[in-house]
Amino acid sequence: MSDAAEKAPKKSWFKGLKAEYKKIIWPDKKSLTKQTIAVVASSVALGIIIKILDVIMTYGIDVIMKL
């Protein structure tokens, strides 16, 4: 086996993980609240749109099947 194929020791992996974790820029509370509201509102709106399309398609298929 080559040196590249050997696994690195776990200790160095955890050191790398810790170094990457320190680079994370966490959002402030105001920004996090706005983003959360945007995601929830988008999800609800998309759910409503999907439900409306489902009702329309179900009605359309029922009409076609009765012909």
Side-chain angles (χ1 to χ4, degrees):
M1 279 187 164
S2 66
D3 291 332
E6 293 180 25
K7 291 185 177 181
K10 287 190 176 188
K11 193 169 190 176
S12 68
W13 185 82
F14 284 114
K15 282 183 180 179
L17 181 65
K18 187 176 180 181
E20 290 298 320
Y21 191 76
K22 287 181 180 180
K23 294 178 185 178
I24 298 173
I25 300 171
W26 297 102
D28 59 310
K29 189 174 182 179
K30 185 177 180 182
S31 174
L32 183 64
T33 303
K34 284 183 179 181
Q35 291 174 0
T36 302
I37 290 170
V39 168
V40 170
S42 299
S43 299
V44 169
L46 185 60
I48 291 170
I49 291 169
I50 290 171
K51 180 61 181 176
I52 290 170
L53 290 174
D54 180 52
V55 168
I56 292 170
M57 284 187 233
T58 303
Y59 176 74
I61 290 172
D62 286 344
V63 168
I64 292 172
M65 295 300 286
K66 289 180 183 180
L67 292 176

